[in-house]
Amino acid sequence: MSRSPLVALKDPGKDYLDSFSMLSQRVREGNSFSGNERNCAFINRGDGSFSDMSYALGLDHPDDSRGIAITDFDGDGDPDICMTNRTAPRLRFLRNDLATGNRWISMRLEGDPSRRCPRDAIGARVEVSIGGRKLRRTVIAGDGFLSQSSKRLYFGLGKKGDITSVSVRWPAGGTEQFHDISAGGSYVLRQGSGLAVKAVMATSPKLPAGAPELPAASGVQRIRLSQPLKVPTTMSFTAFNGSQVAIKSLTSDTPVLINLWATWCAPCLAELGEFGRQAGKLEKAGIKVVALCVDGLGEGEKPDGEHLRSVLNRTGFTGVAGYAGKPFVDSLDQLVLEAVYAHRDLPLPSSFLLDKGGWLTVIYKGRVSPDILLADRGKLGRGPDIARREAMPFAGIWADRLFGTHPVAVASAYSEGGYDDDAREYLSEFLSDHPVVPGQQLEARQALQLADVHFNIGGIIAGQGDPGAALAHFKAAARFNPQSARMRSRQVLATAEAGDIDEAKQLAGAMNNENPKNPDVLTLLGDVLVISGEQGAAVNAYNAALRINPRIIPVINSLAWIYATAAGDELRDGARAVELAEFLMNAPGARGNTEFLMTLAASHAEAGNAAKASSIARGALVMARRHANKRVITRLEGVAVKILNGKPVRE
């Protein structure tokens, strides 16, 4: 598993992002984090080995468990287990009723802050001597994932033997002896007293055993967003007369309910009929219902508008109608994905309540009754506190001030699905909502956020083939975060991509003068030289970087690519390209990187291994179409076509 980034503003590695993307996809497809393995419990055999006792102890539940806490819940001296799960039951209590006949004691330690010991005595170590044996326990905290076991210490004493001594080594130093402790009791040991006080254990409530009672599945989900999501202003549908209608034009002065339906969907038709019968109430409440048919969506065919109108008329629905194309539905799907982590495909019917201005507020999967719709309409525009309260089934404290949504994270959801225009628009709207007045002093956090936004807009625009516009944003990113080598480097590359090679070389040279032995700067210089068409000089820069650090993955990839695809015969070296590309494949996550795989395919093609090159190219293309965005797919398709047709790949 890839290691998570330690700092939010640090650029995470590609291996981590690839792994997280694959994990997210598994969750969205309905899989669990751990693959639904049953829980396991092992017993220490005392000889360095363990035995699986999961089934015998009744612990092998298929709960997809996460947190576990140990405590003596019923006060009988043996530890019981509480577990939290990702599946039902969300909380499982397992009472320990093993009748062994063994004796026990438990102790709770109280430290003295005046003696430089925490009240909970974290770190204290207790030693119990009994029958010639020594038993040791340490008070710890944070012993489980999202869980904390009791800090009371439990000792199993066996069937015989007297307790001869109990000593505590306190965290700040010093050992203290405690007396009058016998088997079968719970004690409190207070630092400095030397006396063990017998504790009175609270009576535990009666908990009936049994399987969880799950509510019957209704097939209907109402998802009230705690923070509304802005619908892209480019979203539009096709009216039955063939004209394009922008969602933005419908939400300018009133809320809108977008309803997706199909002629073959009986619940859809019943829902439309109910909308028709309640049209007066909905209109009085200021709700404009837009019924969009998705017939033929998978085949890309547009249904007959007259036929659809006649179907709607038979249901009694007379409001705004049309049909939704695949881009429209995909945009809605991406919005749901942003709000619902484990989102799957949209069912039919599905509806989306948009507040004025095009803010998605409520998602309905399945039929929605007009009464629920009217109730939700009454809560629109009443402030963030109402939205938060409506979004949760129970009261709580919100931490949005500590964990605000970063605009780059939101835009990434669009880019991940290949909707770069929507991502670009979202980030541009953020900049419009957060203008910077010349001479204004920005807080450090605000400046870093603006730098990230400009950096990501620049990346999107560069991928869309407008290097001049991209350069303006990369310059802004470097201006807001001048300490970031990543942003300065991207500004240099963008300068070269915009055609100003001389300035790019000067900027790269200046960075090289600042850090002459920095392999990253040499890599940047090589990238600029590649853009300028000076592949020979680029190879020299790349090799200089590798002499400092022979494991720079991007450099190895670039070198292998040049050796496999260079225009000049003097640079092409298929054997060397294969050597580098095969070494590249040993990097973590490389086998799942479509661009690395295509480099490997091109290398084998140059080396004359046509069959192997074709096989690798096909696999890379399949993987790209499954996971990559449109830009990556388009580029790789161009390379793959040449390899599959036996033609040389030349840059």
Side-chain angles (χ1 to χ4, degrees):
M1 177 177 290
S2 296
R3 185 171 55 189
S4 299
L6 300 179
V7 182
L9 295 175
K10 183 179 179 181
D11 185 27
K14 185 167 180 19
D15 293 339
Y16 168 76
L17 293 177
D18 289 344
S19 299
F20 186 80
S21 177
M22 294 171 66
L23 175 62
S24 300
Q25 184 62 30
R26 284 185 55 79
V27 174
R28 288 194 287 270
E29 292 171 354
N31 299 301
S32 71
F33 275 55
S34 59
N36 289 317
E37 299 101 333
R38 304 183 77 89
N39 293 334
C40 295
F42 299 91
I43 187 170
N44 189 339
R45 300 176 61 181
D47 60 358
S49 63
F50 293 81
S51 294
D52 188 346
M53 298 291 291
S54 313
Y55 178 77
L57 295 175
L59 298 174
D60 64 333
H61 303 284
D63 288 350
D64 216 355
S65 301
R66 286 295 175 266
I68 182 171
I70 310 297
T71 185
D72 182 9
F73 188 81
D74 51 3
D76 63 355
D78 52 31
D80 307 303
I81 297 175
C82 290
M83 293 191 300
T84 57
N85 310 310
R86 292 192 71 248
T87 55
R90 299 303 300 274
L91 178 66
R92 185 185 288 276
F93 168 67
L94 300 171
R95 189 177 61 211
N96 185 352
D97 286 337
L98 292 175
T100 64
N102 291 330
R103 301 169 305 155
W104 58 274
I105 57 170
S106 69
M107 305 175 190
R108 179 171 62 83
L109 274 58
E110 288 187 6
D112 183 356
S114 67
R115 299 170 184 259
R116 298 169 56 203
C117 179
R119 180 74 66 185
D120 286 344
I122 305 299
R125 186 171 178 82
V126 178
E127 181 177 280
V128 176
S129 298
I130 178 171
R133 296 177 294 139
K134 293 185 182 296
L135 308 176
R136 299 179 179 87
R137 301 283 187 274
T138 301
V139 183
I140 61 175
D143 59 341
F145 175 70
L146 299 180
S147 57
Q148 167 64 54
S149 296
S150 170
K151 291 188 285 292
R152 182 176 290 274
L153 303 179
Y154 298 91
F155 295 83
L157 305 179
K159 292 183 170 58
K160 60 182 180 180
D162 296 327
I163 297 175
T164 56
S165 69
V166 174
S167 63
V168 179
R169 189 180 67 194
W170 298 101
T175 300
E176 185 175 3
Q177 299 291 325
F178 286 83
H179 308 282
D180 300 325
I181 298 176
S182 58
S186 297
Y187 296 88
V188 177
L189 279 57
R190 294 185 174 89
Q191 185 177 12
S193 69
L195 298 176
V197 179
K198 201 156 189 176
V200 178
M201 302 297 291
T203 303
S204 63
K206 299 292 184 180
L207 294 178
E213 296 182 5
L214 302 179
S218 65
V220 178
Q221 292 179 323
R222 169 188 172 273
I223 305 168
R224 178 59 152 92
L225 305 185
S226 60
Q227 292 181 328
L229 295 173
K230 182 69 172 179
V231 172
T233 57
T234 56
M235 283 183 63
S236 62
F237 63 90
T238 306
F240 290 152
N241 62 8
S243 63
Q244 290 295 309
V245 181
I247 292 297
K248 181 179 180 180
S249 66
L250 299 177
T251 59
S252 59
D253 58 355
T254 184
V256 168
L257 182 77
I258 298 176
N259 175 260
L260 302 182
W261 66 283
T263 55
W264 46 264
C265 171
C268 298
L269 301 179
E271 182 181 51
L272 290 170
E274 189 65 22
F275 288 156
R277 288 187 291 275
Q278 300 291 336
K281 289 184 179 180
L282 296 174
E283 184 178 354
K284 184 177 180 180
I287 300 177
K288 185 182 298 182
V289 180
V290 179
L292 301 180
C293 183
V294 295
D295 280 8
L297 185 64
E299 296 78 19
E301 300 176 358
K302 293 182 179 180
D304 183 354
E306 292 299 324
H307 171 66
L308 296 182
R309 175 55 73 186
S310 66
V311 172
L312 287 175
N313 289 340
R314 288 197 296 271
T315 67
F317 180 83
T318 58
V320 180
Y323 46 83
K326 189 174 186 304
F328 185 94
V329 175
D330 285 346
S331 292
L332 288 176
D333 197 55
Q334 287 297 126
L335 286 170
V336 179
L337 178 61
E338 185 179 327
V340 184
Y341 187 69
H343 165 61
R344 304 182 191 180
D345 293 337
L346 290 170
L348 287 179
S350 284
S351 300
F352 305 82
L353 182 59
L354 276 56
D355 200 355
K356 289 189 296 184
W359 292 93
L360 175 60
T361 306
V362 190
I363 302 166
Y364 306 98
K365 292 186 174 184
R367 287 181 61 178
V368 53
S369 73
D371 290 339
I372 292 178
L373 185 56
L374 290 169
D376 285 335
R377 166 65 181 94
K379 304 293 176 56
L380 296 182
R382 294 178 59 182
D385 291 339
I386 297 297
R388 293 169 183 153
R389 189 179 69 191
E390 289 295 310
M392 295 298 294
F394 45 80
I397 299 175
W398 286 81
D400 58 322
R401 292 183 180 178
L402 299 176
F403 305 102
T405 300
H406 197 292
V408 172
V410 176
S412 296
Y414 289 118
S415 292
E416 184 180 346
Y419 297 96
D420 288 332
D421 287 336
D422 294 334
R424 176 179 176 179
E425 180 185 358
Y426 187 92
L427 294 172
S428 298
E429 288 183 357
F430 177 86
L431 294 178
S432 297
D433 294 338
H434 298 80
V436 178
V437 178
Q440 177 183 356
Q441 294 295 321
L442 298 176
E443 296 181 358
R445 184 175 179 179
Q446 183 182 4
L448 293 176
Q449 186 178 58
L450 288 171
D452 278 348
V453 171
H454 278 290
F455 186 84
N456 280 269
I457 293 180
I460 294 170
I461 296 175
Q464 293 175 333
D466 190 350
L471 176 59
H473 286 284
F474 288 130
K475 284 182 176 179
R479 185 173 66 253
F480 285 120
N481 187 3
Q483 304 304 317
S484 171
R486 175 178 65 119
M487 294 185 180
R488 289 181 63 193
S489 297
R490 194 61 185 89
Q491 178 189 351
V492 174
L493 277 180
T495 302
E497 291 166 348
D500 198 340
I501 301 297
D502 290 338
E503 183 180 353
K505 287 181 179 179
Q506 290 176 4
L507 292 172
M511 293 180 67
N512 190 43
N513 290 334
E514 294 173 12
N515 298 282
K517 294 186 178 181
N518 187 325
D520 293 334
V521 177
L522 289 168
T523 301
L524 172 64
L525 181 59
D527 293 341
V528 171
L529 292 169
V530 167
I531 294 172
S532 69
E534 301 173 64
Q535 291 183 319
V539 167
N540 292 334
Y542 288 145
N543 281 320
L546 290 183
R547 283 193 291 272
I548 299 172
N549 181 358
R551 296 181 178 273
I552 307 176
I553 299 303
V555 171
I556 296 172
N557 180 59
S558 297
L559 269 177
W561 184 258
I562 291 175
Y563 287 138
T565 66
D569 295 340
E570 69 281 0
L571 282 179
R572 285 200 310 279
D573 187 339
R576 178 59 175 156
V578 170
E579 179 185 358
L580 289 169
E582 291 288 1
F583 180 83
L584 182 68
M585 288 298 105
N586 295 321
R591 295 289 174 182
N593 187 306
T594 53
E595 296 197 37
F596 290 178
L597 288 171
M598 202 59 77
T599 296
L600 180 63
S603 299
H604 278 291
E606 178 61 27
N609 307 323
K612 191 169 187 177
S614 297
S615 176
I616 296 171
R618 286 194 189 94
L621 201 53
V622 169
M623 189 183 301
R625 287 169 176 165
R626 187 183 305 129
H627 298 296
N629 59 35
K630 294 177 182 177
R631 295 198 311 270
V632 174
I633 294 171
T634 300
R635 178 180 179 274
L636 295 184
E637 282 178 341
V639 177
V641 166
K642 293 179 180 179
I643 294 174
L644 295 175
N645 290 331
K647 296 181 179 180
V649 182
R650 297 289 181 265
E651 282 291 311

